[in-house]
């Protein structure tokens, strides 16, 4: 079962996802290993704050390189482990932070399991940019406005084209495009820029001050909502 946990605040998990976790005999939780080899995982932090049996949690580090070879090797290994458990009659959940339908690398694992004939069900979650809109009290899109969600590969020129076409823009994975974003904001002083860090988690930040945003190094858990 593909279980979305919401963006950080444990209260933002759905009742359905929580029930699924409580009924699971194994809960697989992805994370990363930092420089010192310590396991770090937003999913695990959320899980630990929820009424679930922590002895059922299995953490696994996913290598964070652009080249996905190493990551896929880890997913292959986990897929085999999960297949064995399912063959023994276990109920296995795999967690994703936010909603698992948005930029979630775990989908590689589900594809593998599905190809092996294992039925997958998915429980929806609140994506980070929806929680961001609520935190800022934004009416994210109104009337005829259109929304576009972009990853960190976006360029300043692409953003310019979209804003001129009246798109409301959500940019995720900001740490990959800091310079492009700074360039774009500098060229468009009248824009409304809503910047967020660590929504619903330790270090939560909401900022609209462009001068401050312009000097920031964006961390991994940051996103932006930009409106004309
Ligand atoms: N599935 C997630 C997104 C995973 S991709 C979702 O639905 O939100 C990771 C990117 O999501 C980060 O680079 C950041 O842009 C955004 N993100 C996820 N959680 C966040 C949080 N709590 N605060 C700020 N940004 C977050």
């Amino acid at each position: 079962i593909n279980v979305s946990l919401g963006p950080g605040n444990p209260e933002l998990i759905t009742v359905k996802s929580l029930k699924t976790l409580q009924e699971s005999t194994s809960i697989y939780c992805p994370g990363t290993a930092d420089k010192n080899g310590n396991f770090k995982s937003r999913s695990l932090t959320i899980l630990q704050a929820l009424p679930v049996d922590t002895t059922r949690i299995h953490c696994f580090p996913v290598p964070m390189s652009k080249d996905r070879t190493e990551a896929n090797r880890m997913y292959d290994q986990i897929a085999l482990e999960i297949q064995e458990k399912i063959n023994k009659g276990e109920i296995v959940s795999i967690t994703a932070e936010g909603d698992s339908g948005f930029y979630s690398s775990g989908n590689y694992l589900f594809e593998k399991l599905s190809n092996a004939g294992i039925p997958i069900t998915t429980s929806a979650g609140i994506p980070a940019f929806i929680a961001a809109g609520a935190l800022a009290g934004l009416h994210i899109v109104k009337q005829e406005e259109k929304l576009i969600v972009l990853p960190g590969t976006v360029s300043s020129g692409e953003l310019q084209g979209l804003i001129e076409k009246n798109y409301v823009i959500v940019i995720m994975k900001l740490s990959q495009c800091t310079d492009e974003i700074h360039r774009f904001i500098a060229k468009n002083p009248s824009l409304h820029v809503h910047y967020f860090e660590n929504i619903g988690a330790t270090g939560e930040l909401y900022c609209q001050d462009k001068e401050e945003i312009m000097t920031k190094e964006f961390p991994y858990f940051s996103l932006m909502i930009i409106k004309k």
Side-chain angles (χ1 to χ4, degrees):
I1 310 169
N2 180 354
V3 180
S4 304
L5 301 177
N9 182 336
E11 291 188 347
L12 287 187
I13 191 171
T14 64
V15 175
K16 184 173 173 142
S17 287
L18 180 58
K19 277 189 182 158
T20 303
L21 293 173
Q22 289 170 333
E23 287 160 6
S24 299
T25 51
S26 287
I27 301 168
Y28 278 81
C29 174
T32 52
D34 71 9
K35 284 170 242 127
N36 308 319
N38 298 318
F39 184 75
K40 278 180 40 183
S41 165
R42 182 54 63 83
S43 284
L44 181 61
T45 309
I46 298 170
L47 282 176
Q48 285 171 336
L50 290 169
V52 298
D53 181 351
T54 51
T55 63
R56 296 182 181 178
I57 299 173
H58 305 268
C59 296
F60 61 98
V62 181
M64 282 294 275
S65 155
K66 263 236 149 57
D67 172 11
R68 300 306 289 165
T69 318
E70 287 296 312
N72 291 347
R73 194 169 299 148
M74 175 56 82
Y75 283 132
D76 292 345
Q77 183 192 322
I78 296 294
L80 286 178
E81 211 177 294
I82 290 174
Q83 277 180 61
E84 274 173 31
K85 291 200 166 164
I86 287 175
N87 291 338
K88 285 188 204 143
E90 281 212 30
I91 302 167
V92 180
S93 281
I94 304 158
T95 62
E97 172 265 329
D99 178 79
S100 70
F102 282 90
Y103 304 121
S104 193
S105 65
N107 285 303
Y108 175 87
L109 182 52
F110 292 110
E111 214 176 287
K112 274 216 87 81
L113 292 168
S114 178
N115 290 342
I118 292 169
I120 312 286
T121 54
T122 300
S123 78
I126 297 180
F129 70 88
I130 296 293
L135 177 64
L138 292 178
H139 190 170
I140 299 178
V141 273
K142 56 175 184 282
Q143 295 174 352
E144 314 281 291
E145 287 176 347
K146 297 169 286 182
L147 179 73
I148 188 159
V149 180
L150 303 169
T153 50
V154 70
S155 68
S156 165
E158 196 179 347
L159 290 170
Q160 198 68 47
L162 289 164
I163 211 79
E164 277 159 20
K165 287 194 196 113
N166 294 318
Y167 275 94
V168 174
I169 304 173
V170 169
I171 311 170
M172 303 176 70
K173 308 193 191 193
L174 288 183
S175 54
Q176 293 173 12
C177 57
T178 310
D179 294 344
E180 292 294 319
I181 301 284
H182 287 167
R183 198 168 306 145
F184 176 63
I185 295 175
K187 263 199 229 155
N188 296 274
S190 68
L191 288 179
H192 297 282
V193 180
H194 304 271
Y195 170 76
F196 304 86
E197 268 176 40
N198 298 307
I199 300 153
T202 315
E204 180 179 82
L205 174 76
Y206 167 45
C207 175
Q208 287 178 274
D209 177 351
K210 279 189 220 113
E211 266 172 46
E212 193 180 329
I213 296 169
M214 291 295 283
T215 58
K216 262 199 164 300
E217 273 304 317
F218 304 130
Y220 179 72
F221 284 105
S222 65
L223 66 86
M224 234 173 227
I225 302 177
I226 304 178
K227 300 189 78 155
K228 226 181 184 169

